[in-house]
Every structure is written in structure tokens, then in C-alpha cells.
Amino acid sequence: MPFLHERLDNGLDVVAETSPAALSTSVGFFVKTGSRDETDALWGTSHFLEHMVFKGTPDLPGDEINRRLDRMGASANAFTSEEDTVYYAIVLPEQQPEAVELLARMMRPALRDEDFATEKLVILEEIRMYDDQPPFGADERCRAAFFGGHPLARSVLGTVESIQALPVEAMRDYHRRRYAPGNMVLAATGAVDFPALVAAARRLCGDWEPQPAAERLEPVPAAAASRDLVVRPTAALEYAVRMSAGPDERSADRFAAKLLATVLGDSSGSRLYWAFVDSGVAEQASLHHHEFLDAGLFVTQLSCDADDTDSLLDRILEIYGDAAAGGITAAEFAQARNKVASRVVLSGERPRRRLFEVGGEWAHAQVYRSVADALRIVESLTRDDLHRVAATWPLTGPAATVLAGPRPA
Amino acid sequence: MKQTLFSATLDNGITLLGEELPGVESVAIAFHAPAGAVHDGQGRSGLATLSGEMCLRGAGGRTGRQIVEALEAAGVQWSQAVSSSHASFSGAMVARQLPEALPVYADIVRRPRLPEDQLEAARQMVLQNLAGIEDDPGHRVMTALREMHFPAPWGTPSEGLTADVERLDGAAVRDFIAAHVRPAGTIIAVAGRIDWDDFVHRIEALFGDWRAGDAEAVTTGPRGPRLRHVPHDSQQTHVALAWSAPPYRSDESYEATAALAILGGGSSSRLFTEVRERRGLCYSVSSGYQTHRDFAMALGYAGTTAARAQETLDVMLAEIDRLPGTITADEVERVKARAKSGLVMQQESSAARAGAIARQWYHLGHVRTLAEELARYDRLTVDSIEAWLAAGPPRDLTVVSLGREPLEVPRALSA
């Protein structure tokens, strides 16, 4: 699968991993902007803007965008995170020109007053929808507690208050600054006609005005232990989220961190699974590693009867302590490594999954990693790497913990 | 596009299905035994689910833990699920691992140990899952809709009811598995990088001598109430509605699913346009289709703040009402394009194809080729969809709401 890259004069990167025999073409714009690039006054703008991009350009109404996507049989959507806003379409190869043209035009939305007012209502519904669902906001509260004054403390959706207070002019200004060509990547995977992709990018995006780059990184404050409670009197279970520090995206240890999390807290066959899920003591008990540009997190999630939460959290810390003390066995290490290697191969054969890997890694680090490269990294890891990561980033160290459930404050 | 499909039937009635996908390294396999929740029996809801879970807690020479370790050490992404009709054990892996995984699955299906000392843990796992569902309003409203719309036991939630699950015992699980995990009606589907002859040979060696008695027929009972409100402490009210549609095996299911896609299947659909894009009434609104072998339902769903829920329901009902007689050629073209590209792209996923061929066999007794399916979509027209709508317009709706306050349902639609 060859990798191809071209940079336009205005700074827009065009990248592709091409597999000519693929049945589909995945194409997407990766905008290097998310909730961490907002201020308190702009809280939730990145995600709200992602919705507004589907509401049309000055010469293309939102209804027409939706009709065109459906008419080309596209599986198309967008998502916003703390650090990225991604728009994508997965189409049959013959639809590449139309998909690229539509997505490119969408990147210069009209941001009309009346659409802004209507879509604001949709965003408020989305906030309430998540607030009604487990873990009832405990994950966002926990991140806010962990990051304190750092920009990563802000949730992606914003709050009812921040969205209600947001003026459309602020969004227009944010779009102008953040959707600059040097801050975006056009990526494609699958059966890609790369020369046509670059030509289309020149024609459709070549006149986008460059903007000065903004500094995104900010020192992360040292983690302090904290504990907080969200009261949901009628909840059947209690949902606990615990966050402690882990390696960030710049650290070579992040691969070992993911494997460590697989050994300890994968959704099946892990230490937490056998201790709590298999025995029916908890509905869920898991550990994940999550990385940002300049920060990393180990996230423990537990859901169980509220009476059991405290004792189970204690037992989880004991399991973490054992692992750090060199307790990962050769067999469980091999099992986790084979599992992760198999995931790399299986997800690697789907162009749609590759789009997010290829586009995301280029947007963050200007690197390309093939499936074979990713596999080599997994296969090079050793048990010592996991023990070293567990010692460097102690899972039993200072952590933010938030519980959401029926127990009274 | 070239497609390579295989099928075979063993003497004991097991159906083997295969599809070779060019250019993939993976293989996906699924064992579907006819041990679904429709066989739970009165007062024993959750029995199929508990039994499916117990199959993994020791089989052949392995303990439950050894089963999981054997599969995961071979890099198998495994899963287990129980639906109304089937207990399914599935796995996706790099193709060279299949010979190692097959004997493990054969033990799970044929030789579960059903250890008494694991029953309590398995029961607690099912109960934890039920408690989690109680906190999930979207899941609850859809469960209620199926329960009301489909006749029992086809609408009964396969996850069971807490009071029933608490009373199930080891004898019930053993009897259930002996009666329903059986070769006749079992489908084994494999897709991806396969060597079909080798696969059939291996399955014959592992399953060829499996014998069992006759299957029990399922007695279909009455339907539930048409209208219901489920009190739930949430900011949003969730509303789901359903009416009858032809099952998948009916040729008209193509017209039905096309009409439903026009109503609420994509971002240019009528519900998305009218409810979300024009009025901003909600984040989630859609229509869909769910089928059993003998009956199916058309359904609509929306979740929105309590104060705007009535208006949301009213707009949804008006759009459903407006559907017959107003289908446009452009809408039909969009639906066809989406369906066709979805079918082609499915060929990139071993797991999706293993699921699709098994589903078709269960519903139709054969597998439709991609060419047949594409040709059938080509025959969709405004007239064919309108003819279906005219013959069975949406009426006699089942409507369920979940939230703090009930909603008003106009008489004409619910009567």
C-alpha cells in the first residue's frame, strides 16, 4: 500500500494510502482543532461548528448537501474531539471526485444566522441526551478535575449555558482562524486516484487564505488526587471513572501503555475482567490508555452496585499494584500481544478504519505508519516494557475519581 | 463483481455457508444454534441468555478461563450473543488461526460442562447487564416497543426480566441446552480468506457425529398493548412507534425498507429534514425495520426534551401520514444508491459477510447473490413503492414513550 503526500502552496497537506484493489474509497478532512483550542467563552464551538458545516455554503443549501451525500451512496459523517474535527465520506471509487468536491466546499460554510439558531437547539438536545445516559457526565467531570486549568479540562460538547451564550460572530471568527489550510489535512485511503485528489485539492482549496499558526501545547499541571460525586437518585448502578497520568503522544511508551491496559483492563480476558465482570460483581470494569498531544491518561471505568464501588475500587488498586511490582506473567503478556496484533491486522484491511489512522497520525505528528509498521511495533514490545511503564506511570498514583449514581451527596 | 459462495448440508442437518473474499487476511466464523429466547418459556425469561453464557464457562477439556485464553492467545476476537431465534458464538481472526479455533468452538457448542459452581456468577452477570439497561433510556424504549408490537414470545426481551432470572436453576439450563442446542437448524457461516474444502472437512470431523432429538415448536401468543408510557427520570422523553411490515423473506420487504429509508433512513430523509434540520427538535430521529422470520415491523424513534416531545411526535406522525402518494423519483434513486454502495462495501468485511449469509439462510433458506440483490434494487420504482404503501399504509400504530410525562397519541392512528 503506497503512501503519497503532497503539500499545496497554502500549506494544505494531501495524503493517501492507496490500495488499488479496494472496493471503496474513504476521504476526509482532518482539521486540527477541538475543544482544547477554545476559551471559556467559546466552549463547545468546535463541535457546534462541525454541525454547522452540514448546514450549507453560500451557494449550496444544507438540504442539498444531505441529498448529494445520499445520492452518491456515501457513508458520511463527522466527529469532534478535544484535538480534532474530522469530516469523512466513504464511497465507491467512481464517486471520489464528487465526494472530494462536496467535502471541500463544505469546509467553507455560510454560517447563516437562522441555521445557527436552529442548530443550537439540536446541540442542546445532544448535551441532554448524553447527560441522561451512563456514566451521567462522570467522565467529563473527571477529566475536568484531572486537568484543572488546562485546556483539556473542557468537554467537547460544552454546557447548556456556554452554548446558549455563544454568538454566531464568535463562531465565524473561530472558523476563519482554525480552518486555515495549514491547519488541515485532506486524507484518503482505499482505491484512491491520488493525482486526481491533488488536482481537486488545488482547484477547490488552493485559494484558501493561510493564517498564522497558533500554539496548541501547554504544560499539564501535576495530577492531584480528588474525588467528586454526581447524584442520580434513580440510577440502578453507580458509575465510577478514575483518571491517572500516562504517556502522551510524543512518548514511545504509549504503545506499551496500551498493551498494559489490555493485560489489566481489556473488555475480555483481562485481570479486571476475571476479577469483576466474569464473577458478575460489576457490570463493567475496564482500563484504557488515552493519549493527547501533550498529555496521557489511564482511565479506569467501573459500574456496579453503589454499595460495592468503594471496595471494588480498592481491589482494582491492589491489582494495579501487583502489576507494577513485576507481576505480569509471560502467558498473559503473550495473550494480550496476540490480541492487539490481530486487531491491527483486521482493522487494517478496512479502508474506512485506515482513514482515521492515516489522517489522524498525519494531522498530529506528520508521520505515516503502515499496518506492517504498526504490527512491528506491537511485536517488538516486551514484558519489561510493560513493567517499566507501570513503574513510570503508577496506576495507583494521584488520580481524579468521579462517581455518578444513586448515593446521596 | 465476482462472488464466490459455498454451501453444504451435513447428514445431521447442520448448514454450512461460506464466502471467499478476495484480498483479505482475515476470516470470520459464526455458529448459530436455534437456542434463542423464544424458547425461554413462561416465567423463565433470560433462560436462553443464561444458557449461552454458561456454555462459555467450561467446555470439553477446558475451564471457562481456558476457553477465553485459548481463543485470545490465537488472536480471536470472540463474541457471544443470544437473540430471539439463535444463540450465536462468533469469532474473527487472521485466517491461519482458524484450525486452532474450530475445536474450541466445537466444545462450546457440543460439550458445555455447565458447572454448577459457575451458575451464580453467570446469573449475576446477566443481572448486572439488566441493571445497566435500566439506566439506558434509548435501549429501554426500544425493548418496550418490541415487547408491545410483536406477539409473545417474539417480542420478549432476550436479556430477561430480573425476577425470572433470579429463579432460574442449573437444571433449567441443562434441559434448555439439551433441547435447543442441536444440529438441525444450526448454521455455521464462514467468510474471508477461506479454503472451503478444508473447512467442510474440519467441520465434518468436529460435528459430523452430533445427533439430537426433535425440535420443539414455538407457540406464538398475543401481542402486547398498543400504547404505553414508561416513567423514567430523564430530561429527554424518548418516543418509539411501530407498525407491521412484511418480513425479510417477502419480496415486498425491498419496497418496505425503501419506503422506510425515504421516511427516516439517511440525512436527506424526511424525518431528519423535518424534525431535526428544519425545526431543531431533536438530535436523534430515525426510522428503521426489524424482522423475524414470519413478521416484521417498521419503526420510528426520536429522543427530545420533554417540553418539545409532543411536537416531535406530532411532526413524526404527520410525516408518516404524508408518505403514501408523495414518493419522488429522486428519493428512490438516493435510496437505491445507498443500498447498493452498502452492499458492495460489505464485501470488505469478513464479519459482515459471515453475518449476512447466515441471516439470509435463516430467513430465506438460501443465500442471495450480490448480483441478485443489486438487480432487485434496480427494480425498485416510485410505482412499486407506492403500490406497497397503498396496500398496507401505516396504521394501527404501537406507540411507547419513556420519560417524566406521557404524550398524547391521536386516536385515529392508535385505534
Side-chain angles (χ1 to χ4, degrees):
Chain A
M1 287 190 229
F3 174 75
L4 301 158
H5 168 231
E6 179 108 16
R7 179 168 291 172
L8 304 195
D9 292 343
N10 62 8
L12 178 73
D13 275 332
V14 184
V15 298
E17 179 187 80
T18 62
S19 26
L23 303 175
S24 67
T25 303
S26 295
V27 53
F29 275 97
F30 292 69
V31 192
K32 302 176 212 175
T33 201
S35 53
R36 71 172 297 158
D37 304 295
E38 299 163 358
T39 58
D40 283 347
L42 288 170
W43 193 0
T45 303
S46 312
H47 168 260
F48 190 171
L49 173 56
E50 174 227 298
H51 279 234
M52 289 299 293
V53 161
F54 286 85
K55 300 298 255 181
T57 72
D59 51 5
L60 196 63
D63 286 359
E64 183 56 23
I65 288 176
N66 288 334
R67 278 195 294 271
R68 286 191 189 190
L69 287 170
D70 280 351
R71 202 177 295 130
M72 65 179 106
S75 170
N77 211 332
F79 59 85
T80 306
S81 70
E82 294 81 359
E83 302 185 324
D84 303 281
T85 310
V86 180
Y87 303 84
Y88 65 92
I90 301 145
V91 293
L92 297 180
E94 61 266 28
Q95 303 285 357
Q96 177 187 317
E98 206 182 333
V100 173
E101 164 146 11
L102 186 60
L103 286 175
R105 288 174 69 183
M106 286 166 64
M107 293 303 108
R108 292 293 175 265
L111 306 179
R112 284 176 275 261
D113 289 358
E114 58 276 22
D115 292 335
F116 183 84
T118 307
E119 199 59 22
K120 196 175 255 197
L121 302 173
V122 175
I123 304 289
L124 294 172
E125 288 299 337
E126 191 177 352
I127 293 172
R128 293 185 183 108
M129 177 183 81
Y130 284 113
D131 200 48
D132 277 346
Q133 284 173 6
F136 304 117
D139 44 354
E140 290 179 349
R141 284 274 279 272
C142 193
R143 204 147 43 78
F146 181 88
F147 282 109
H150 190 272
L152 283 170
R154 267 189 293 275
S155 65
V156 172
L157 293 188
T159 65
V160 168
E161 295 72 27
S162 74
I163 294 300
Q164 273 167 344
L166 186 71
V168 67
E169 296 78 17
M171 180 182 282
R172 289 182 188 132
D173 176 64
Y174 179 86
H175 174 266
R176 191 163 45 245
R177 289 187 290 114
R178 303 300 306 173
Y179 281 52
N183 206 37
M184 299 169 76
V185 176
L186 170 58
T189 54
V192 182
D193 179 344
F194 190 68
L197 182 69
V198 173
R202 286 219 170 86
R203 178 169 58 84
L204 296 157
C205 318
D207 64 346
W208 293 354
E209 286 279 323
Q211 299 287 328
E215 181 54 60
R216 302 185 82 193
L217 306 189
E218 189 170 319
V220 178
S226 70
R227 188 177 160 106
D228 199 2
L229 201 64
V230 177
V231 182
R232 293 296 162 108
T234 57
L237 294 174
E238 185 162 63
Y239 300 83
V241 182
R242 182 182 192 278
M243 295 180 183
S244 63
D248 66 28
E249 227 178 79
R250 299 165 297 187
S251 164
D253 274 347
R254 68 191 190 279
F255 304 105
K258 294 203 187 299
L259 199 52
L260 176 66
T262 307
V263 169
L264 295 176
D266 197 27
S267 60
S268 73
S270 65
R271 292 218 179 168
L272 296 188
Y273 174 83
W274 292 117
F276 307 115
V277 181
D278 177 72
S279 60
V281 173
E283 187 224 10
Q284 192 205 350
S286 65
L287 173 68
H288 294 282
H289 170 255
H290 194 81
E291 68 215 9
F292 300 101
L293 292 166
D294 50 7
L297 287 176
F298 280 110
V299 183
T300 302
Q301 285 175 287
L302 171 72
S303 49
C304 59
D305 190 291
D307 291 338
D308 297 333
T309 311
D310 292 328
S311 66
L312 294 190
L313 281 173
D314 287 346
R315 281 175 58 199
I316 288 174
L317 292 188
E318 282 170 26
I319 288 173
Y320 291 167
D322 286 349
I328 294 168
T329 67
E332 64 186 346
F333 172 76
Q335 180 182 327
R337 197 171 64 177
N338 290 348
K339 197 155 55 160
V340 172
S342 165
R343 284 176 192 160
V344 169
V345 174
L346 266 57
S347 75
E349 64 189 27
R350 306 209 60 192
R352 59 181 66 196
R353 300 266 189 90
R354 288 299 295 158
L355 178 71
F356 303 120
E357 299 286 330
V358 172
E361 289 188 327
W362 194 268
H364 279 214
Q366 288 76 57
V367 294
Y368 165 70
R369 230 176 256 111
S370 67
V371 173
D373 295 337
L375 206 52
R376 264 192 295 277
I377 291 170
V378 173
E379 281 166 356
S380 73
L381 294 170
T382 65
R383 209 149 45 114
D384 288 346
D385 293 326
L386 271 57
H387 288 139
R388 191 188 65 249
V389 167
T392 317
W393 309 94
L395 285 158
T396 51
T401 303
V402 177
L403 313 176
R407 83 167 89 182
Chain B
M1 189 177 358
K2 189 173 170 295
Q3 196 187 22
T4 317
L5 291 165
F6 304 95
S7 68
T9 309
L10 302 191
D11 291 343
N12 57 12
I14 297 180
T15 299
L16 307 188
L17 304 171
E19 179 165 0
E20 193 180 333
L21 301 176
V24 302
E25 294 293 318
S26 66
V27 66
I29 186 154
F31 298 78
H32 303 283
V38 290
H39 298 292
D40 281 349
Q42 192 66 35
R44 296 187 307 172
S45 71
L47 179 55
T49 293
L50 181 63
S51 301
E53 173 54 34
M54 283 299 289
C55 287
L56 291 173
R57 289 180 180 252
R62 294 182 187 86
T63 63
R65 186 159 183 151
Q66 286 164 341
I67 288 174
V68 171
E69 285 169 355
L71 292 174
E72 295 193 349
V76 179
Q77 297 176 18
W78 62 274
S79 64
Q80 182 264 118
V82 172
S83 67
S84 298
S85 52
H86 293 99
S88 303
F89 305 92
S90 314
M93 68 209 83
V94 179
R96 66 173 176 277
Q97 302 289 359
L98 186 65
E100 211 171 314
L102 287 178
V104 183
Y105 281 102
D107 280 344
I108 293 169
V109 174
R110 291 194 58 186
R111 287 172 288 275
R113 293 182 189 175
L114 311 179
E116 272 293 332
D117 66 0
Q118 286 287 314
L119 183 71
E120 215 34 56
R123 184 205 312 282
Q124 289 307 319
M125 192 189 242
V126 175
L127 291 172
Q128 289 283 354
N129 181 45
L130 281 169
I133 289 170
E134 228 179 288
D135 286 337
D136 182 347
H139 190 129
R140 283 187 70 185
V141 78
M142 291 310 298
T143 301
L145 185 73
R146 280 191 292 272
E147 209 174 349
M148 291 158 63
H149 188 79
F150 287 129
W154 295 93
T156 313
S158 58
E159 58 263 24
L161 302 169
T162 300
D164 289 352
V165 173
E166 280 170 347
R167 287 199 308 266
L168 298 172
D169 60 16
V173 169
R174 282 191 297 278
D175 291 349
F176 185 86
I177 287 172
H180 302 294
V181 180
R182 53 205 323 288
T186 287
I187 300 169
I188 305 178
V190 65
R193 173 175 287 233
I194 60 169
D195 175 341
W196 176 250
D197 292 337
D198 179 70
F199 177 73
V200 173
H201 182 71
R202 285 174 194 278
I203 294 293
E204 263 172 350
L206 292 165
F207 290 89
D209 62 344
W210 189 18
R211 295 287 179 270
D214 293 334
E216 266 171 54
V218 178
T219 311
T220 297
R223 286 175 56 173
R226 288 305 154 85
L227 297 180
R228 195 167 142 202
H229 175 72
V230 181
H232 187 86
D233 185 21
S234 50
Q235 300 170 70
Q236 286 197 323
T237 296
H238 298 256
V239 56
L241 47 85
W243 67 97
S244 294
Y248 180 70
R249 63 183 164 78
S250 154
D251 189 53
E252 281 190 320
S253 68
Y254 284 86
E255 272 70 26
T257 50
L260 289 164
I262 289 167
L263 177 67
S267 57
S268 71
S269 70
R270 295 188 183 186
L271 289 180
F272 197 85
T273 304
E274 293 301 326
V275 179
R276 176 167 156 166
E277 299 290 78
R278 296 247 154 86
R279 294 178 178 81
L281 283 169
C282 57
Y283 174 73
S284 299
V285 60
S286 60
S287 65
Y289 170 81
Q290 290 187 5
T291 186
H292 290 296
R293 191 145 56 182
D294 294 328
F295 27 70
M297 69 179 184
L299 65 95
Y301 164 81
T304 186
T305 307
R308 305 198 298 156
Q310 186 66 52
E311 186 185 352
T312 300
L313 175 61
D314 293 345
V315 176
M316 284 173 79
L317 292 173
E319 286 306 315
I320 292 168
D321 212 29
R322 191 170 74 86
L323 196 58
T326 58
I327 303 287
T328 68
D330 194 48
E331 286 176 318
V332 177
E333 286 314 306
R334 294 201 297 270
V335 164
K336 284 158 83 159
R338 289 179 66 223
K340 287 175 170 184
S341 88
L343 271 177
V344 173
M345 290 181 203
Q346 201 182 61
Q347 307 288 318
E348 290 179 336
S349 165
S350 301
R353 284 309 296 166
I357 58 181
R359 197 158 46 245
Q360 293 189 351
W361 187 276
Y362 169 66
H363 286 276
L364 308 171
H366 62 95
V367 174
R368 281 193 187 122
T369 65
L370 189 61
E372 280 168 348
E373 289 216 79
L374 292 172
R376 184 62 185 84
Y377 279 113
D378 270 333
R379 292 204 303 278
L380 283 174
T381 62
V382 170
D383 289 347
S384 77
I385 296 169
E386 287 289 7
W388 177 72
L389 281 168
R395 58 168 180 246
D396 201 11
L397 266 57
T398 303
V399 184
V400 56
S401 56
L402 179 142
R404 288 182 183 144
E405 298 291 334
L407 302 178
E408 297 254 335
V409 181
R411 241 185 144 75
L413 283 157
S414 62

